[in-house]
Amino acid sequence: MTDRVEIVEVGLRDGLQNEATPVPASLRAQWFNALSAAGLNRIEAGSFVSPKWVPQMADTETVIQAIDHRPGLSVEALIPNQKGLEAAMGVNGIDRLAFFTAASDAFTRKNINCTVEESLERFAPLMKQAKDAGYGVRGYVSCIVGCPYAGPIEPAAVARVCEKMMAMGVDELSLGDTIGVARPLEINRVLDAVLPAVPVERLALHCHDTYGQALANVLTGLERGVRTFDSAVAGLGGCPYAKGASGNLATEDLLYLLDGQGLETGVSLDRVFEVGQEVCSHLGKESPSRVAQALGARSQTA
Amino acid sequence: MTDRVEIVEVGLRDGLQNEATPVPASLRAQWFNALSAAGLNRIEAGSFVSPKWVPQMADTETVIQAIDHRPGLSVEALIPNQKGLEAAMGVNGIDRLAFFTAASDAFTRKNINCTVEESLERFAPLMKQAKDAGYGVRGYVSCIVGCPYAGPIEPAAVARVCEKMMAMGVDELSLGDTIGVARPLEINRVLDAVLPAVPVERLALHCHDTYGQALANVLTGLERGVRTFDSAVAGLGGCPYAKGASGNLATEDLLYLLDGQGLETGVSLDRVFEVGQEVCSHLGKESPSRVAQALGARSQTA
């Protein structure tokens, strides 16, 4: 196993889309560039969703136009539909496009108004189009352990979706514990079911910290050979299914773990922490990141 | 390996001694009994330290006198010195006594005004006296990975203290990551150094969650065969070395992990959560436990 870990920074997309206050595109671009300067190589810039539905993601093309491109940087965006794909393809400088489904029909019905199977049918031609145009293609599979509407999810259901998305040609699958209920044994069971169908180097783990289990789950992923993890600066996003609870795993907390494990990320924790403090200050909230809290308290004490 | 895990609830001692507001003994006793009723079998009732130095631990004997004894319950208390030992021995109903040192001279100097070696010399006769009187004896070893004054600690230094305490006759050693800086690799290194000298069934792991790593470290302990873990209801205590940061691992978060791992504790998470909510309400603070936040948010949403 390589000792290099790739972090996919999802704060400006999965994070901000769940924050109450929309952030102007110019500021999102500034944060993007600061995160890139901190060493993050893969950063989601936003989502090409209608601003009527998700005002927080408005003007994603403006964000992307203001990005300082540099070698090794992958600019990524979420595509909900044909219209979004066309908008994304009209903007220069995007490297990877991501498509979203789940392992739970109840969840896709609530979120994208169709079954999992129907979502795959819808996305298949879009993915092909994206691949043909040279984009990297990421597939998100949400609710890999639990669904806010349907409860526990069978690992076999996750494996079925993964197999189908692999057949559709995704380069990478991001397995999401969307409501942060999973524990290591459950992550292991999902990986038992998925790994026969998906090479581990094409898997990412997307943990939410709602029940504080994210890093234990990351550790489990590491032990199974996963080397790509999603996280959000300052744990942006909260949990839309339990207002007031934590959401995305904070990039600061993930980095602190990875640094301690002797794994190479190329990312500066101190610089990500600084961006996170700025983001929280703008949003008028305290960072839910334990590492940010500890570093902040230490600097006040010192 | 057994699939049973023992939790040592330290909130009423290690937790409350670091909370600003002293809690009356009658209320501490009520919380003790509620935690016992939730299924916790090992609970620290307090510390026999001078109330001049630690007013939060005043009247620990009153707490102990109000405990509802039941089969299987172990009432535990911390002993700082000869005077404390005599006071503890004058109270009926204590099962285990705990003695405190560290793997860092800088830490013992600041806390108990002597070197580690001197602390062991001081405690040796007290431990013997406690054992002769029939008490179980626990030894705390603090700063197993990092010290707030001396920085990183060598695993060999931890092993040396553990060997000496074993020779002094302790029944159990609690290895404490007192400032919550440890990560799984570091915990593994400490266990590599300590396990040749201490049977794993006589080890407990005492993780703080200051940097959010506590559960990942617990998982590592579990993988190495540790089956006793310290935690504090509602993560009581904060971090005295970084005001505003998290402190003790919350019992709620630990239970959620252990339940998911299929490990038996005999403890009701729901009931511990209820006690934690009451404790936080009394102290006028929000619980730092992610699980408590998620359960609280869920019940408000439902």
Side-chain angles (χ1 to χ4, degrees):
Chain A
M1 242 32 263
T2 166
D3 61 357
R4 164 112 197 155
V5 168
E6 207 65 57
I7 298 176
V8 180
E9 169 59 50
V10 300
L12 303 179
R13 199 273 306 167
D14 192 25
L16 287 184
Q17 77 184 12
N18 292 311
E19 295 286 343
T21 321
V23 177
S26 58
L27 197 49
R28 279 144 63 200
Q30 197 180 301
W31 294 344
F32 187 109
N33 288 326
L35 291 166
S36 166
L40 287 156
N41 282 328
R42 294 187 59 184
I43 310 176
E44 285 194 328
S47 172
F48 284 89
V49 65
S50 163
K52 277 186 207 159
W53 297 110
V54 190
Q56 297 94 327
M57 292 293 102
D59 308 316
T60 289
E61 64 282 3
T62 312
V63 176
I64 290 166
Q65 279 153 2
I67 287 171
D68 298 329
H69 289 274
R70 62 165 173 84
L73 176 65
S74 170
V75 178
E76 315 197 1
L78 188 77
I79 302 302
N81 51 33
Q82 179 71 42
K83 201 174 159 195
L85 177 62
E86 280 160 20
M89 291 177 72
V91 186
N92 272 329
I94 303 180
D95 302 283
R96 277 190 180 89
L97 298 176
F99 298 86
F100 169 96
T101 188
S104 160
D105 283 325
F107 193 78
T108 52
R109 275 212 187 87
K110 280 266 190 183
N111 274 273
I112 48 180
N113 200 30
C114 62
T115 64
V116 171
E117 189 60 39
E118 285 162 356
S119 75
L120 295 174
E121 283 162 23
R122 278 189 207 172
F123 285 135
L126 307 188
M127 283 188 194
K128 186 175 183 315
Q129 202 179 337
K131 279 180 69 76
D132 289 348
Y135 292 99
V137 171
R138 157 176 264 223
Y140 276 107
V141 182
S142 281
C143 299
I144 60 165
V145 167
C147 165
Y149 313 112
I153 298 298
E154 282 301 313
V158 183
R160 274 195 302 275
V161 184
C162 290
E163 280 169 34
K164 286 175 186 165
M165 289 184 106
M166 288 298 283
M168 286 159 62
V170 295
D171 301 307
E172 177 178 79
L173 279 168
S174 172
L175 302 179
D177 175 23
T178 313
I179 53 173
V181 294
R183 287 151 295 193
L185 183 65
E186 291 152 326
I187 294 295
N188 266 321
R189 285 181 181 154
V190 170
L191 291 173
D192 287 343
V194 168
L195 282 174
V198 187
V200 71
E201 59 274 15
R202 290 170 70 179
L203 274 186
L205 209 53
H206 180 107
C207 297
H208 282 226
D209 209 22
T210 322
Y211 287 79
Q213 314 290 309
L215 287 184
N217 293 334
V218 165
L219 186 64
T220 300
L222 286 170
E223 287 169 352
R224 297 295 293 269
V226 177
R227 288 294 180 273
T228 306
F229 297 91
D230 299 358
S231 63
V233 61
L236 276 175
C239 179
Y241 312 100
K243 297 285 175 203
S246 295
N248 277 291
L249 168 60
T251 304
E252 295 91 326
D253 295 8
L254 175 60
L255 275 170
Y256 186 87
L257 175 78
L258 297 173
D259 287 349
Q261 296 302 91
L263 295 158
E264 194 192 315
T265 62
V267 183
S268 160
L269 169 55
D270 285 342
R271 295 186 74 171
V272 172
F273 165 65
E274 282 167 23
V275 180
Q277 294 298 90
E278 197 184 312
V279 168
C280 288
S281 157
H282 177 85
L283 295 174
K285 60 184 262 187
E286 205 207 348
S287 178
S289 157
R290 296 264 201 246
V291 167
Q293 288 165 14
L295 294 179
R298 208 178 56 179
S299 62
Q300 277 167 24
T301 312
Chain B
M1 240 34 255
T2 166
D3 61 357
R4 164 111 197 157
V5 168
E6 207 65 58
I7 298 176
V8 180
E9 169 60 49
V10 300
L12 303 179
R13 200 272 307 167
D14 192 26
L16 287 184
Q17 78 185 12
N18 291 311
E19 294 286 343
T21 320
V23 177
S26 58
L27 197 48
R28 280 143 64 199
Q30 197 179 302
W31 293 345
F32 186 109
N33 289 327
L35 291 165
S36 166
L40 286 157
N41 283 327
R42 295 187 58 184
I43 310 176
E44 285 193 329
S47 172
F48 285 88
V49 65
S50 163
K52 277 187 207 158
W53 297 109
V54 190
Q56 297 95 327
M57 291 293 102
D59 309 316
T60 289
E61 64 284 2
T62 311
V63 176
I64 290 166
Q65 279 153 1
I67 288 170
D68 298 329
H69 289 275
R70 62 165 174 81
L73 176 65
S74 170
V75 177
E76 316 196 0
L78 188 77
I79 303 302
N81 51 33
Q82 179 70 41
K83 200 173 162 196
L85 177 62
E86 280 160 19
M89 290 177 73
V91 185
N92 271 331
I94 304 180
D95 302 284
R96 277 190 180 89
L97 298 176
F99 298 87
F100 169 96
T101 188
S104 160
D105 282 325
F107 194 77
T108 52
R109 275 212 187 87
K110 280 266 189 183
N111 275 275
I112 47 181
N113 200 29
C114 62
T115 65
V116 171
E117 189 60 40
E118 285 162 356
S119 75
L120 295 175
E121 283 162 23
R122 279 189 208 174
F123 284 135
L126 307 188
M127 282 189 195
K128 187 176 182 312
Q129 202 180 336
K131 278 181 69 76
D132 288 348
Y135 292 99
V137 171
R138 159 176 261 223
Y140 276 107
V141 182
S142 281
C143 299
I144 60 165
V145 167
C147 165
Y149 313 112
I153 298 298
E154 282 301 313
V158 183
R160 274 195 302 275
V161 183
C162 290
E163 280 168 35
K164 285 175 186 166
M165 290 184 105
M166 287 297 284
M168 286 159 63
V170 296
D171 300 306
E172 177 179 79
L173 279 168
S174 173
L175 302 179
D177 175 23
T178 312
I179 53 173
V181 294
R183 286 150 298 191
L185 183 65
E186 291 152 325
I187 294 295
N188 266 321
R189 286 181 180 153
V190 170
L191 291 173
D192 287 343
V194 169
L195 282 173
V198 187
V200 71
E201 58 274 14
R202 291 170 70 178
L203 275 186
L205 208 53
H206 180 108
C207 298
H208 282 224
D209 208 23
T210 322
Y211 287 79
Q213 314 292 310
L215 287 183
N217 293 334
V218 166
L219 187 63
T220 299
L222 286 169
E223 287 169 353
R224 297 295 295 267
V226 177
R227 288 294 179 274
T228 305
F229 296 92
D230 300 358
S231 63
V233 60
L236 276 175
C239 179
Y241 311 101
K243 298 284 175 205
S246 294
N248 276 291
L249 168 59
T251 304
E252 295 90 326
D253 296 9
L254 175 61
L255 276 170
Y256 187 86
L257 174 77
L258 296 173
D259 287 349
Q261 296 302 92
L263 295 158
E264 195 192 315
T265 63
V267 183
S268 160
L269 169 55
D270 286 341
R271 295 186 75 171
V272 172
F273 165 65
E274 282 167 23
V275 180
Q277 295 297 92
E278 198 186 311
V279 168
C280 288
S281 158
H282 177 84
L283 295 174
K285 60 184 262 187
E286 206 207 347
S287 178
S289 157
R290 297 262 201 245
V291 167
Q293 287 165 15
L295 294 179
R298 208 177 57 178
S299 63
Q300 277 166 23
T301 312

